[in-house]
Amino acid sequence: MEQGVSGVATTTLLGVLERITFQSEETGYTIARVATERSSAELVTAVGPLLGAQVGESLRLTGRWTSHPRYGRQFEVWSYATVLPATIQGIQRYLGSGLIKGIGPKMAERIVAHFGTDTLDIIEHHPERLVEVPGLGPKRTKMIAAAWEEQKIIKEVMVFLQGVGVSTSIAVRIFKQYGEAAITVVRGQPYKLADEVWGIGFKTADTIAQAVGIPHDSPERVKAGLRYTLSQAADDGHCFLPAPNLVADATKILDVPAELVASCLEQLAAEEGVVREDVPADQGSVPAVYLVPFHRAETALAASLLTLLTSPHDRLKAFQDVDWARAEQWLAAQTGAELAPEQRQAVRLALTHKVAVLTGGPGCGKSFTVRSIVLMARARRAKVILAAPTGRAAKRLAELTGHEAVTVHRLLQLRPGGDATFDRDNPLDADLVVVDEASMLDLLLANKLVKAVPPGAHLLLVGDVDQLPSVGAGEVLKDLLAAPDIPRVRLTQVFRQAARSGVVVNAHRVNQGRHPLLEGMDDFFLFPCEEPEEIAALTVDVVARRIPRRFGLDPRRDVQVLAPMHRGAAGAGALNQALQEALTPAREGLPERRYGGRGFRVGDKVTQLRNNYDKNVFNGTVGVVTGLQPEESKLTVLTDEEETVEYAFDELDELAHAYAVSIHRSQGSEYPAVVIPLATSAWMMLQRNLLYTAITRAKKLVVIVGSRRALAQAVRAKGAGRRHTGLTHRLARS
């Protein structure tokens, strides 16, 4: 026993990690059960930073024994290291945990039965002998040997990175990016990690930089901090920051003098690491600072739209001199309904102008208008392409038009690296391109899309401008509607059939800042309760039991929980755990794979967290886990787009459970039933367009669970102001 921090006695505990009962991805704080040599029958509770440790690993835990008033004796972990097990049982558990590709629990049992305690030595020094084990051929033996070598290198990298304060899970990502060069990069260019490794931000890179001796006031650090501040602003939706705001924000983050930050900003602009440009504003101009990709995208998007709008060529020229009264009569015979005046205007606009925007709330006939436009274009043998930002939105667009629709990502055929197959040099073969749910289009994706529209073709963007803006930077739909030269129609008339729907009526009431009607509605309900824990429990009960019993809806397929925020007892994170236990509980004999505190099971509803161009699966894609193969260290997901995607176990940081998602992540999707937990603890997030977006995601049923006060705040609060964007002024034709 030795003296630890502040003179507290340090104890070392050796054991095998049996299971993780709780883990915070933000802090790494973990509650785990560990089997030690002395207490293999009775598990020890270990608490502390264990992020990255895998079930089945042998660990050397450093810390101290403590006594919890409620949970009793437990081991408080300060740090840990993985060690190779020595016992037959430990070796079998270690090999069967999925760490080594090609070895699952059954194969581990066979290998250990054959080689006993010499197993790890055989794999290390004589892997060719693995063919002695029944069922292991040369091909699989080679795979196991290669996986073992990779693990060894990873361990070396992890030992170094743990020494500079990096968690194991981050170390794995660094290794995947740089391989054996990882230690060299981390020592010499730690801020590179924030730009090149997904999941590592400036703060993690800064911690590493300090550990390897980079000075606090180093220009390299300050410039990295400026780029980080701009990327944080982009995460909040801004395309640029005014220079004074940028310097002030970066000064707070970096804790260095503002003069040093301003000087480094000048250097960064001179090195073309950022772009400085005066952007016109209501009064004078704003000294805007852009990250290079956002400046390029904004200028290119504006230029592409203006080029389309002013092109002398017209691929739908036939509609310039059409007899509209006769055409609309034909259309009414095809659809069985006549267009309202606003809808007629929208149809004519889309078919006679090369860029047009159609906006409006629920029940105002956007879908019927789009269907009418597509029908008329196809009647003239026009080549029509329909797209939407998400798989669900594309599927809905296809259903309402009877014409194939795809996601924007698939339409453009985005390749690894994010480049599109279709662009200005290789445009789409289309006369009319219709994009639904256009409020979701961020600046970067909108730029790629508009570049691919051929000269003379017509582009129609359809969306509800009152919904939340895109998750990514920009507010393209709002900027287009603010540009005087972009033709647009706003549908305002709520049709009689839609006016009988509580969902539609209350969506419009909320959008107008009025309290939703809660009496006499058979498709809109409030279950009042106050405390976040009570809201969470009632939400689970509503999803798992009440809605299925009353409405016959499937709780996984048809019901979606939309939470204002991720954290907290009534946030999406905690609700996902509770809903998983209610809807897809663990069962004896069925495989489960834990990663970062999440346990993945067959039947789980999951969502993709980032664009993965190699797998051709994109941020926000939802699916169901259909297979778990421990021996092959992989998990299989069937997406909403009916595509099968495989994930290696070390790629599971790309997946999260989707029983509950944030309202932001629900954009572009539509569900038969939506359940919205509203707690006053989410006060800063409770805004009108957030609640409006959540309500408009429902086709048949909305259930709000929570506080009347929180509901009133969400209706009352107008929401955040405009984002910092320059697109509208770039669209002004002088």
Side-chain angles (χ1 to χ4, degrees):
M1 193 177 286
E2 54 190 278
Q3 294 296 304
V5 182
S6 305
V8 177
T10 300
T11 301
T12 299
L13 182 70
L14 292 172
V16 176
L17 184 57
E18 290 287 332
R19 68 174 179 269
I20 294 171
T21 54
F22 169 80
Q23 193 162 63
S24 163
E25 290 173 61
E26 284 82 18
T27 65
Y29 179 81
T30 303
I31 302 172
R33 301 285 279 163
V34 175
T36 67
E37 287 183 13
R38 291 182 183 176
S39 64
S40 56
E42 190 178 332
L43 300 180
V44 168
T45 298
V47 298
L50 281 168
L51 193 63
Q54 304 288 337
V55 170
E57 281 191 312
S58 293
L59 305 175
R60 182 186 292 113
L61 306 173
T62 302
R64 65 172 180 170
W65 288 103
T66 61
S67 182
H68 190 280
R70 183 172 172 188
Y71 300 110
R73 193 168 186 253
Q74 54 190 31
F75 191 80
E76 181 186 318
V77 179
W78 297 338
S79 64
Y80 81 93
T82 56
V83 293
L84 293 177
T87 66
I88 284 179
Q89 183 186 7
I91 292 168
Q92 185 174 314
R93 185 76 196 275
Y94 177 70
L95 288 179
S97 66
L99 281 172
I100 310 299
K101 199 168 182 180
I103 305 179
K106 288 180 183 174
M107 184 51 70
E109 190 178 343
R110 280 193 222 158
I111 295 171
V112 175
H114 190 80
F115 294 115
T117 53
D118 294 332
T119 296
L120 299 183
D121 185 65
I122 295 290
I123 297 173
E124 171 87 42
H125 298 108
H126 307 286
E128 71 281 354
R129 285 191 58 195
L130 289 171
V131 293
E132 296 172 19
V133 179
L136 271 184
K139 187 178 174 185
R140 201 156 167 203
T141 296
K142 276 185 184 174
M143 183 169 76
I144 291 168
W148 180 264
E149 279 303 309
E150 186 180 30
Q151 278 295 319
K152 271 176 58 185
I153 297 167
I154 288 173
K155 293 292 183 197
E156 286 173 25
V157 172
M158 286 201 279
V159 166
F160 167 75
L161 290 172
Q162 282 179 351
V164 293
V166 179
S167 73
T168 313
S169 57
I170 295 291
V172 171
R173 286 186 204 155
I174 293 172
F175 176 80
K176 282 171 74 174
Q177 179 73 24
Y178 302 111
E180 294 179 46
I183 293 174
T184 306
V185 172
V186 169
R187 278 200 177 113
Q189 299 170 286
Y191 292 106
K192 205 174 170 187
L193 303 175
D195 296 328
E196 297 182 353
V197 182
W198 182 71
I200 295 184
F202 170 78
K203 290 181 181 176
T204 302
D206 199 34
T207 302
I208 296 169
Q210 288 180 47
V212 298
I214 290 179
H216 188 70
D217 59 356
S218 154
E220 182 193 358
R221 176 176 183 264
V222 177
K223 285 188 268 189
L226 282 162
R227 285 194 299 269
Y228 167 71
T229 306
L230 285 171
S231 70
Q232 287 291 99
D235 288 346
D236 291 336
H238 301 295
C239 298
F240 68 81
L241 278 181
N245 302 34
L246 172 59
V247 170
D249 291 351
T251 299
K252 278 184 201 167
I253 290 166
L254 293 163
D255 191 24
V256 294
E259 297 76 22
L260 175 61
V261 175
S263 166
C264 287
L265 176 57
E266 294 297 330
Q267 289 177 39
L268 200 56
E271 295 162 5
E272 299 185 349
V274 297
V275 176
R276 296 190 65 157
E277 180 184 331
D278 286 340
V279 171
D282 293 338
Q283 296 175 337
S285 63
V286 174
V289 183
Y290 287 82
L291 287 171
V292 173
F294 295 104
H295 184 264
R296 279 185 189 150
E298 195 173 83
T299 53
L301 174 58
S304 298
L305 285 166
L306 290 174
T307 299
L308 272 181
L309 203 57
T310 57
S311 170
H313 178 46
D314 190 348
R315 294 179 69 144
L316 292 179
K317 196 173 182 181
F319 287 100
Q320 294 299 335
D321 53 6
V322 77
D323 181 340
W324 284 105
R326 193 172 160 196
E328 285 157 5
Q329 200 174 16
W330 171 86
L331 186 62
Q334 296 293 309
T335 61
E338 287 193 9
L339 293 167
E342 291 173 337
Q343 292 176 315
R344 281 202 298 274
Q345 185 190 352
V347 170
R348 294 183 185 190
L349 198 72
L351 296 172
T352 58
H353 288 73
K354 296 183 202 80
V355 178
V357 177
L358 172 61
T359 189
C364 292
K366 284 198 307 294
S367 297
F368 183 70
T369 306
V370 170
R371 185 182 163 209
S372 301
I373 292 165
V374 171
L375 269 172
M376 289 191 75
R378 291 180 72 189
R380 291 291 179 123
R381 292 186 166 78
K383 292 174 182 172
V384 179
I385 286 179
L386 305 180
T390 67
R392 284 191 177 218
K395 193 181 284 187
R396 191 177 72 245
L397 186 58
E399 287 167 359
L400 72 92
T401 59
H403 186 79
E404 182 191 3
V406 294
T407 63
V408 175
H409 294 91
R410 292 189 193 285
L411 173 66
L412 300 176
Q413 294 181 20
L414 296 183
R415 302 188 300 268
D419 291 329
T421 300
F422 292 99
D423 56 17
R424 188 171 288 116
D425 298 325
N426 181 33
L428 298 161
D429 183 16
D431 302 319
L432 171 65
V433 178
V434 180
V435 182
D436 199 9
E437 295 289 356
S439 62
M440 288 186 70
L441 285 178
D442 62 42
L443 175 66
L444 299 182
L445 187 58
N447 178 44
K448 287 184 172 76
L449 170 68
V450 178
K451 267 186 193 171
V453 179
H458 289 220
L459 172 66
L460 173 65
L461 298 174
V462 183
D464 185 345
V465 75
D466 294 320
Q467 287 183 25
L468 289 168
S470 57
V471 174
E475 43 189 0
V476 173
L477 188 65
K478 197 169 278 188
D479 284 345
L480 292 182
L481 287 167
D485 292 334
I486 301 293
R488 86 289 308 277
V489 171
R490 181 165 193 146
L491 304 179
T492 56
Q493 179 187 339
V494 178
F495 289 90
R496 191 180 305 160
Q497 186 178 354
R500 290 196 290 267
S501 159
V503 174
V504 171
V505 167
N506 283 330
H508 284 280
R509 288 181 68 88
V510 166
N511 198 32
Q512 294 157 5
R514 298 158 68 202
H515 202 276
L517 299 173
L518 300 170
E519 300 295 327
M521 295 287 181
D522 58 5
D523 62 352
F524 199 102
F525 302 91
L526 170 67
F527 284 70
C529 51
E530 291 297 325
E531 296 304 317
E533 292 77 9
E534 185 188 359
I535 292 169
L538 186 50
T539 297
V540 173
D541 189 49
V542 165
V543 172
R545 284 170 284 279
R546 298 192 191 200
I547 288 178
R549 190 169 60 230
R550 169 94 178 262
F551 296 96
L553 297 174
D554 182 285
R556 273 183 297 188
R557 188 183 62 244
D558 300 329
V559 184
Q560 184 63 54
V561 175
L562 302 181
M565 55 195 295
H566 185 79
R567 297 181 184 178
L575 283 168
N576 265 316
Q577 289 188 4
L579 286 161
Q580 184 193 36
E581 290 312 311
L583 300 174
T584 318
R587 289 192 172 88
E588 194 69 37
L590 290 181
E592 174 175 335
R593 179 64 185 179
R594 295 201 69 83
Y595 192 100
R598 294 191 284 263
F600 292 97
R601 302 164 187 161
V602 172
D604 271 340
K605 187 175 179 181
V606 292
T607 183
Q608 174 78 10
L609 295 177
R610 70 179 182 111
N611 291 339
N612 186 322
Y613 300 104
D614 295 311
K615 293 184 187 297
N616 205 25
V617 61
F618 303 100
N619 185 7
T621 299
V622 174
V624 174
V625 177
T626 53
L628 249 171
Q629 295 86 29
E631 294 199 2
E632 296 174 46
S633 300
K634 71 178 184 182
L635 173 151
T636 308
V637 172
L638 180 66
T639 72
D640 273 353
E641 295 167 58
E642 304 295 328
E643 295 202 343
T644 298
V645 183
E646 291 186 346
Y647 295 82
F649 282 169
D650 62 0
E651 296 176 320
L652 295 182
D653 56 351
E654 294 189 18
L655 285 179
H657 292 106
Y659 300 100
V661 298
S662 69
I663 296 169
H664 282 86
R665 288 191 73 83
S666 74
Q667 288 172 269
S669 294
E670 194 176 60
Y671 316 94
V674 160
V675 180
I676 309 166
L678 288 183
T680 52
S681 55
W683 195 261
M684 297 303 292
M685 296 295 293
L686 297 176
Q687 295 169 356
R688 191 180 300 166
N689 62 349
L690 191 84
L691 180 58
Y692 173 73
T693 300
I695 292 170
T696 56
R697 300 306 85 209
K699 283 194 281 191
K700 298 177 182 174
L701 174 68
V702 170
V703 180
I704 297 173
V705 180
S707 156
R708 291 183 187 275
R709 189 163 155 253
L711 174 59
Q713 166 65 10
V715 172
R716 186 170 56 244
K718 274 190 172 180
R722 290 294 303 268
R723 295 174 168 187
H724 292 300
T725 72
L727 182 60
T728 297
H729 99 83
R730 294 184 199 281
L731 288 168
R733 288 185 283 179
S734 51

